[in-house]
Amino acid sequence: MSSVLRPNYRRARVLALEIEAARNHLHEARADPSMTMDDILELRAELNNLEREFFLTGVTSEYDL
């Protein structure tokens, strides 16, 4: 039962890397004139989903990793 309350650091580390990659991709997409607004919104939604999953790991910050 106590494992349910502990933060999942392993999952948080994986998500932190995915979040960093998604942020870089979003930054590059904003500078790319061939990307449409729908593409950028889709990337932003994916980033929001990753950040939500990170929150659910129970780790309070990327600095705790």
Side-chain angles (χ1 to χ4, degrees), residues 4-65:
V4 174
L5 302 176
R6 288 186 299 180
N8 186 344
Y9 288 103
R10 182 177 297 156
R11 178 73 176 134
R13 282 186 208 102
V14 170
L15 287 169
L17 292 174
E18 290 180 21
I19 288 169
E20 182 179 353
R23 284 180 181 157
N24 290 337
H25 191 164
L26 180 61
H27 180 71
E28 292 170 3
R30 287 181 175 156
D32 185 356
S34 67
M35 296 293 281
T36 66
M37 188 55 122
D38 288 338
D39 294 335
I40 292 172
L41 290 175
E42 185 176 322
L43 290 172
R44 184 67 193 151
E46 181 181 340
L47 180 59
N48 287 341
N49 186 43
L50 290 171
E51 290 171 342
R52 180 183 174 279
E53 285 186 44
F54 184 87
F55 173 77
L56 294 175
T57 64
V59 177
T60 58
S61 169
E62 293 175 15
Y63 298 109
D64 290 344
L65 302 175

